[in-house]
Structures are given as C-alpha cells and as structure tokens.
C-alpha cells in the first residue's frame, strides 16, 4: 500500500479515536456542571396528615434550568430518626439541621431535558413512619457527583383537634427610595397581575387582619386625578373589601429600628412640601382602621422598646414566639405593654405557602403548615408571616381558606383575644450592619433638622427626607442584598444637595470709596421653600466698621441681594471681609466667604477739598472781574464827564 495512503488511514484512525473520547467525556462534563449549579428539586407528600401505619407517596419534581440535557440518576427518601418535638424543630429540620436516617426508598429517574423538568413518584410502604408525631422527610436526587436535597414534614396522627388561629398579614410594597410613589411607580405597582393586585385578590373576604402601609394610600391621594386608574380602582376595592385592618408604620418602617437609632419617638410622615394646608395633608393617610398594632421585626424587641412605644403609641406590639419567655398564650403582658405572640414555626410555613410560585412548592409549604398546626390542637395561636409577596392569588387564597376551616385549624378574629398572664422578653439585638445603617440615617436626619430652621417653612424641607427615612427602615427589606445601602446612599445625596442649597454668590472684590457705604452680597436659595437669614460681615482690620447683621427673606428658588452698611475710617488699604449667613437662631447656614474690600475713603475728603478750592477760586475770579468792570465803568464815566466840561 502506498505510503501516502497509509498516512491518511493513520490520521483517520487517530481522529476517530479522539472523537470517541470527546463524545464519551462531554456528557459527564455537562452533567457535572448541571449538577453543581442548575438543577432544582421540589417535593411534596401526598398528604399533610396520615394515620399511623399507613403508607404514602411523595412527588419529586426536578427542574433543569441549563441549556443542555442532564443524564438520569437516582432519587432516594429517608426520614428523621424519630418524630420532631415541636413546630420549631420542624422549621430547623426544613432548614437542614439534623441528620436523616438510612434510605428507605431508592428509585431511578429519567434524564432531565434542557430547560425542562421530570417528575418522580416515591411510594413509601406502610410502617416506615408508624409512631405518632410529625416526621421529617428528606429526598435526595443524585446525578453523577451532584447531590440535590429537599426536605418536608408529615404528621402521623390518629386524630386531630383544631387550633384556633388568628392571622395577621402585611399589605406593603417595599421600595426604600420612594417616600411617595411617583405616577410611574404606581403604574408598575398596580399593573394587571402585579403583586399588590394579587395580594388584595388573595386576602379579600378572608377572616384575617390586614396591616396596610399608609404610603400606598398617601401616594394615590397626593396625585389625585393624576393617579393611574388601576391604582385608584385598587384603593376603592380595598376600602369596600370589609377587611379587619390596622396601620403599619408609614413605609412599613420598623418601630424598633427607629428607637434603637436614637429617635426619641416614632417618626411620622409630613406633607408640607406637597400642601401648606394641614387639613388637606391629614387626608392623605386618613383611613378607617379597625384596630391598632405595632409590627416591628419579629425577632428583635426589648422591654425598653416597649416602654418607649407606650409613651407615644400604646398599641399592642407583635413579636415572634422565639423571643417571648412564655409563648403559650397569644396575648401577654410585658411590663405595662401588651404583646401579641406570633408562633414562629407555622408563621414561617404560612409565609412560604403564600409566596409559592410553583404547584409542588406550594403543596409542600401547605403540608408543613398543617403538620405544624397539629402541635397546637385545642390552643389559640396567632400567625404573622414575615412580609410576604403574593404572586399567585388563587393559591394564596386557597391557603387562607384552608387555614380558616380545616381538620387542624379554625379562624378566630384577633379582636376576640385578651391578654392572659405576664412574661418577659429574651435578650436580642439588631444585626451589626443594620444597627450601623440605622445610626447613619439618624445622623443625616439630625443634620437636616438643624439646617431646616433656615426656612420659614422647615417642614417643607424636612418632610420629604423623613418619608424617605421611614421607607429605608422598612421591615420587608432584605438584609441579604444592598437594597437598603442604596437607599441610604440616596438619602445621603438628597441631604447633601439640601445642605448646599443656600449659599453666598462669590464676589472677587468690592471698592469702598466713601466713609459710609452699603456693601452688596447675594444670597442664593435653591430650596422649594422661602428662607429667612442674617448676613453678617466681619472685617480683618479697623479700616471698616460694620453695623449689625442684616435680616432678609429669600423666596423659594430665587436669589436676593443684601446690603450691609459699613463705615470707613480715613485711610486707604485692603480689608478681608468674612461674610457669614446664619439662620434666625444664629446657627451657621453655609460656609463663610472671604471677600476683599479696597478702601479708598480719603478720596472723598480730598475731592471735597479740591472741589471747594475750585469753587473759591472761581468765586474770587468772579469778584475780581466784577470789581474791575465796576472800576472801568466809573473811569469811563469820569472821562465822559471831563470831556463835557
């Protein structure tokens, strides 16, 4: 065989081997990548509660969000080593704490298509969970080297007694940069299918108590006829829904955060920048609320906080059972305050069920909720899920309906509860980052409070930033991202702009040519409110004497020239003038400005002397000329007389 043909065959053989190796290796690389990052597992038991000794099934749904298929694997189920002791223990199990026992069921799974899902049913035989109690279930999907784990819970009960449940829900829309929502923001918030639309659809007609963020109401009312039609229609629906309601803090601000930041009382929103009529301003947040509560972060509250609230508010305060010493009663007394005890375990499960976006995810959360409620059979409890975004109104409504009437729960109104017993609170503290952020905002608002007195309408300057501050303190903001940090940066920028909005227009120099003069200085006001200031001048030496500072008012968004009277001593030379602007209390408004004055006051005296000398000279010349004329006239008359003789 010719040598060239042999070489060609050799090359083809090598290419075939290489291609085979690539084909064999590529799927494993793809599978490893998918297994590490792009596969998600959701599970749900076929029932929340079973009788002892019965079998059950678990649905497992694997989702592949990668752009390539993933090979088949195996899926296994294990249980906790025994029944879990409490609803809190169930939540810990769901969070991944504690070890599962050995696998009780293992089955193969189908390959996962690109951007697709596969479903697997796991049949758990009778007797696997035969002791009464709430059992933890763990399902693990194994694909190559990847492991994907999801947990749920199942109640094994021979009989159940319903718990009486009072439910609280917060109707809010965290947006920390908006002290008032703009028209564009409202259009987005109330567009068809939006979270607020879904939330109202879900809670309407439910036997629960709903906390409303007054910022939503105020933003719509401030715009009046300019508000989007969807927003005004939503507000009318809310008003006619017949809900049991209470007010959240404006912007859903955290009451505890405000007190810990050093505010002496809870902040209240103002609208002096929107209207000068306080009666009109009061209508922006006016609402016929059914009752009053304070709802801070559920895991941070102290007796000192309660004492401060009692001085200015006095409403019952909602707190997590995790921080209450004796959480067996729904309402308790702590010192002189009433505390609403929200059971943390089922509250968290309810929050997951309300916010679920997928069917299996929602079924899992609903099952866990019902399983946890079996711990409270015959008791009265309060559920208050953390700020929850509802995206699927039908599922959320179904959750609340089941909660109101099922084998494990019955709805009761929050108003039917009364304090029973006294207890104390466990020590708590704000996270360090959150505490420093709140302190920073407090510092900035303190600066602005001091500056705002420059205006004849201080509230018009301060109110927009107070509203921003309240929104930045929102309970619903996540501590896991930089949303709050960006909101604080917006406050910093706003305050910096306001502090720089009153200033002196710079002037290079001024000439003082007389012993008494009025020196002009221009004050610029970029605020949307008038200001009242005093302009003072301090000379660097004795060539100028300055009278008292001059009081002037500068209209909004304008400039005003102020004339400060001075007296110059005899002499010439340069004087450095330190020009200051202070408010009516004497507090400095803007940084002092140095202006050079060239004093030439002697020129006035010398000019007067010169003018007088000239005048006298002219007078003398005139007198001499007049005398000469008179003499010449007499001489001519004498000569004429002599000639006639």
């Amino acid at each position: 065989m010719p040598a060239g043909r042999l070489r060609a065959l050799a090359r083809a053989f090598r290419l075939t081997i290489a291609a085979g190796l690539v084909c064999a290796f590529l799927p494993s690389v793809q599978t490893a990548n998918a297994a590490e990052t792009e596969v998600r597992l959701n599970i749900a038991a076929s029932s929340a509660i079973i009788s002892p000794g019965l079998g059950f099934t678990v649905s497992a749904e694997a989702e592949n969000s990668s752009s390539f298929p993933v090979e088949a694997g195996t899926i296994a189920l294990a249980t906790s080593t025994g029944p879990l002791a409490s609803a809190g223990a169930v939540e810990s199990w769901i969070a991944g704490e504690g070890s599962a026992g050995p696998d009780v069921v293992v089955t193969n799974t189908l390959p996962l298509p690109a951007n697709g899902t596969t479903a697997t049913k796991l049949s758990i035989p009778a007797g696997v969970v035969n002791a009464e109690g709430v059992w933890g279930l763990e399902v693990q999907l194994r694909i190559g080297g990847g492991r994907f784990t999801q947990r749920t819970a199942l109640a094994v009960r021979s009989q159940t007694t319903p718990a009486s449940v009072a439910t609280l829900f917060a109707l809010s829309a965290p947006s920390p940069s908006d002290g008032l929502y703009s028209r564009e923001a409202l259009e987005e918030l109330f567009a068809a299918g939006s979270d607020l639309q879904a939330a109202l659809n879900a809670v309407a007609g439910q036997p629960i108590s709903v906390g409303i963020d007054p910022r939503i109401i105020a933003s719509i009312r401030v715009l009046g006829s300019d508000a989007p039609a969807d927003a005004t229609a939503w507000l009318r629906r809310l008003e006619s829904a017949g809900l049991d309601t209470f007010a959240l803090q404006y912007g859903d601000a955290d009451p505890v955060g405000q007190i810990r930041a050093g505010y002496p009382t809870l902040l209240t929103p103002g609208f002096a920048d929107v209207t000068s009529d306080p009666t009109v301003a009061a209508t922006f947040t006016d609402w016929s609320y059914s009752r009053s509560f304070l709802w801070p972060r559920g895991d941070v509250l102290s007796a000192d906080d309660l004492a401060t609230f009692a001085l200015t508010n006095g409403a019952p305060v909602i707190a997590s059972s995790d921080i209450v010493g004796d959480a067996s009663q729904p309402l308790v007394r702590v010192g002189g305050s009433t505390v609403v005890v929200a059971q943390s375990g089922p509250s968290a499960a309810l929050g997951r069920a309300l916010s679920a976006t997928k069917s299996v995810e929602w079924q899992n959360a609903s099952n866990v909720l019902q399983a946890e409620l079996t711990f409270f059979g015959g008791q009265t409890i309060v559920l208050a899920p953390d700020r929850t975004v509802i995206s699927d109104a039908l599922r959320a409504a179904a959750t609340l309906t089941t909660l109101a009437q099922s084998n494990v729960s019955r709805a009761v109104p929050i108003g039917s509860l009364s304090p029973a017993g006294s207890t104390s609170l466990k020590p708590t503290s704000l996270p360090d980052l959150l505490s420093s952020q709140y302190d920073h905002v407090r510092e900035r608002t303190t600066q602005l409070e001091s500056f705002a007195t420059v205006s004849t309408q201080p509230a018009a300057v301060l109110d927009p930033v107070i509203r921003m501050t309240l929104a930045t303190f929102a309970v619903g903001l996540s501590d896991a991202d930089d949303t709050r940090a960006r909101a604080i940066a917006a406050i910093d920028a706003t305050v910096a702009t306001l502090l720089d909005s009153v200033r002196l227009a710079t002037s290079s120099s001024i000439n003082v040519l007389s012993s008494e003069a009025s020196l002009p200085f221009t004050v610029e006001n970029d605020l949307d409110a008038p200001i009242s200031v005093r302009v003072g001048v301090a000379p660097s030496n004795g060539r100028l004497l300055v009278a008292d500072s001059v009081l002037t008012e500068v209209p909004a968004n304008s400039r005003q020239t102020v004339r400060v009277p001075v007296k110059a001593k005899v002499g010439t030379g340069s004087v450095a003038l330190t020009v200051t602007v202070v408010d009516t209390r004497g507090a400095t408004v803007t940084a002092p400005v140095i202006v050079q004055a060239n004093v030439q006051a002697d020129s006035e005296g010398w000019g007067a002397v010169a003018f007088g000398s000239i005048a006298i000279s002219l007078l003398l010349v005139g007198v001499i000329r007049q005398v000469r004329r008179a003499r010449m006239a007499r001489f001519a008359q004498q000569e004429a007389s002599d000639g006639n003789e």
Side-chain angles (χ1 to χ4, degrees):
M1 184 177 292
R5 190 169 181 182
L6 285 172
R7 285 195 296 272
L9 287 172
R11 278 198 305 273
F13 178 75
R14 288 196 296 271
L15 288 172
T16 300
I17 295 298
L21 289 173
V22 168
C23 291
F25 180 68
L26 185 57
S28 65
V29 172
Q30 291 180 328
T31 298
N33 289 339
E36 290 170 7
T37 60
E38 297 183 89
V39 175
R40 181 183 177 187
L41 181 64
N42 288 309
I43 64 170
S46 56
S47 177
I49 305 168
I50 65 170
S51 298
L54 294 182
F56 58 95
T57 61
V58 172
S59 298
E61 184 180 84
E63 179 182 358
N64 174 20
S65 59
S66 67
S67 57
F68 48 82
V70 176
E71 66 180 340
T74 60
I75 192 164
L77 181 140
T79 70
S80 56
T81 55
L84 302 172
S86 65
V90 174
E91 288 298 306
S92 297
W93 169 264
I94 298 294
E97 297 180 21
S99 299
D103 295 342
V104 295
V105 173
V106 179
T107 188
N108 294 326
T109 64
L110 295 172
L112 270 170
N115 297 304
T117 61
T118 61
T120 305
K121 289 281 189 183
L122 295 170
S123 295
I124 315 303
V128 170
V129 287
N130 54 8
E132 291 213 20
V134 177
W135 288 77
L137 307 179
E138 178 182 278
V139 175
Q140 189 175 87
L141 174 63
R142 301 160 184 168
I143 303 175
R147 298 291 185 270
F148 306 94
T149 302
Q150 185 64 269
R151 286 181 165 186
T152 187
L154 174 79
V156 179
R157 303 287 188 187
S158 56
Q159 61 180 11
T160 59
T161 302
S164 298
V165 179
T167 303
L168 307 175
F169 178 81
L171 196 58
S172 62
S175 179
S177 61
D178 295 322
L180 273 174
Y181 292 117
S182 66
R183 189 182 198 284
E184 293 73 18
L186 288 176
E187 286 177 344
E188 183 177 350
L189 284 172
F190 294 102
S194 67
D195 293 340
L196 278 178
Q197 294 283 11
L200 183 53
N201 290 339
V203 302
Q206 298 290 344
I208 64 175
S209 294
V210 177
I212 303 172
D213 180 356
R215 175 176 52 166
I216 300 173
I217 300 170
S219 298
I220 298 172
R221 288 178 171 170
V222 164
L223 287 175
S225 60
D226 290 334
D230 287 341
T232 54
W234 184 93
L235 194 59
R236 286 194 298 270
R237 286 178 56 215
L238 177 64
E239 192 168 16
S240 61
L243 291 167
D244 186 85
T245 59
F246 61 95
L248 301 171
Q249 287 281 285
Y250 188 92
D252 194 18
D254 180 9
V256 170
Q258 296 171 60
I259 299 304
R260 301 284 178 94
Y263 293 101
T265 60
L266 296 179
L267 297 172
T268 56
F271 304 93
D273 56 314
V274 179
T275 177
S276 59
D277 188 340
T279 303
V280 173
T283 65
F284 294 151
T285 55
D286 183 51
W287 194 264
S288 297
Y289 294 108
S290 310
R291 61 195 73 258
S292 297
F293 288 120
L294 282 179
W295 195 350
R297 288 173 59 103
D299 57 349
V300 180
L301 185 66
S302 72
D304 289 341
D305 298 328
L306 293 176
T308 303
F309 298 155
L311 293 175
T312 57
N313 189 285
V317 182
I318 302 166
S320 169
S321 59
D322 290 340
I323 66 170
V324 178
D326 179 4
S328 61
Q329 297 295 329
L331 262 67
V332 293
R333 300 287 292 177
V334 177
S337 301
T338 300
V339 172
V340 181
V341 181
Q343 293 297 328
S344 61
S347 292
L350 174 58
R352 293 194 297 271
L354 292 175
S355 61
T357 58
K358 296 181 179 297
S359 179
V360 175
E361 180 185 12
W362 170 73
Q363 188 63 58
N364 181 25
S366 298
N367 286 350
V368 171
L369 171 60
Q370 292 183 65
E372 291 183 1
L373 287 173
T374 64
F375 287 107
F376 301 94
Q379 300 180 43
T380 299
I381 63 172
V382 175
L383 300 188
D386 288 340
R387 300 331 189 242
T388 301
V389 174
I390 292 176
S391 57
D392 190 312
L394 292 178
R395 289 197 187 106
T399 301
L400 294 172
T401 300
T402 301
L403 187 64
Q405 185 73 27
S406 72
N407 292 334
V408 294
S409 58
R410 296 281 190 277
V412 295
I414 190 73
S416 67
L417 308 183
S418 57
S422 299
T423 187
S424 59
L425 299 177
K426 301 174 184 177
T428 59
S429 61
L430 285 171
D432 291 342
L433 174 60
L434 193 61
S435 180
S436 64
Q437 288 175 327
Y438 286 169
D439 289 345
H440 178 80
V441 173
R442 169 61 169 152
E443 180 182 343
R444 297 301 274 165
T445 54
T446 299
Q447 283 182 285
L448 191 61
E449 286 169 1
S450 177
F451 170 80
T453 56
V454 70
S455 175
T456 56
Q457 301 169 13
V461 178
L462 193 58
D463 283 355
V465 176
I466 292 300
R467 294 195 302 265
M468 290 178 66
T469 298
L470 285 162
T472 301
F473 277 68
V475 175
L477 290 184
S478 170
D479 295 334
D481 56 30
D482 63 348
T483 305
R484 202 185 310 270
R486 285 186 279 111
I488 293 172
I491 289 178
D492 285 341
T494 300
V495 171
T497 299
L498 289 171
L499 294 178
D500 192 43
S501 58
V502 177
R503 58 192 173 275
L504 278 165
T506 57
S507 176
S508 56
S509 62
I510 298 175
N511 293 320
V512 182
L513 302 177
S514 61
S515 60
E516 294 188 4
S518 294
L519 305 185
F521 301 100
T522 300
V523 179
E524 297 178 337
N525 174 24
D526 291 342
L527 294 173
D528 295 328
I531 61 172
S532 184
V533 295
R534 285 189 173 276
V535 178
V537 177
S540 61
N541 56 50
R543 290 190 177 94
L544 283 180
L545 297 177
V546 182
D548 291 338
S549 59
V550 176
L551 178 66
T552 187
E553 185 168 304
V554 186
N557 297 300
S558 63
R559 54 193 294 163
Q560 183 83 28
T561 298
V562 183
R563 295 190 173 274
V564 180
V566 298
K567 290 184 179 181
K569 291 185 176 181
V570 176
T572 62
S574 178
V575 179
L577 303 178
T578 301
V579 187
T580 58
V581 178
V582 299
D583 63 18
T584 53
R585 302 176 307 153
T588 300
V589 173
T590 186
V593 173
I594 306 298
V595 177
Q596 293 297 324
N598 300 315
V599 180
Q600 310 235 346
D602 286 350
S603 61
E604 182 186 46
W606 288 113
V609 171
F611 179 80
S613 299
I614 293 172
I616 291 172
S617 298
L618 291 174
L619 179 62
L620 289 174
V621 169
V623 170
I624 292 171
R625 291 179 65 186
Q626 190 66 26
V627 170
R628 291 181 64 186
R629 284 177 183 162
R631 285 179 178 177
M632 290 180 66
R634 287 198 300 272
F635 181 72
Q637 186 178 6
Q638 184 66 38
E639 285 185 343
S641 177
D642 291 344
N644 291 332
E645 293 179 358

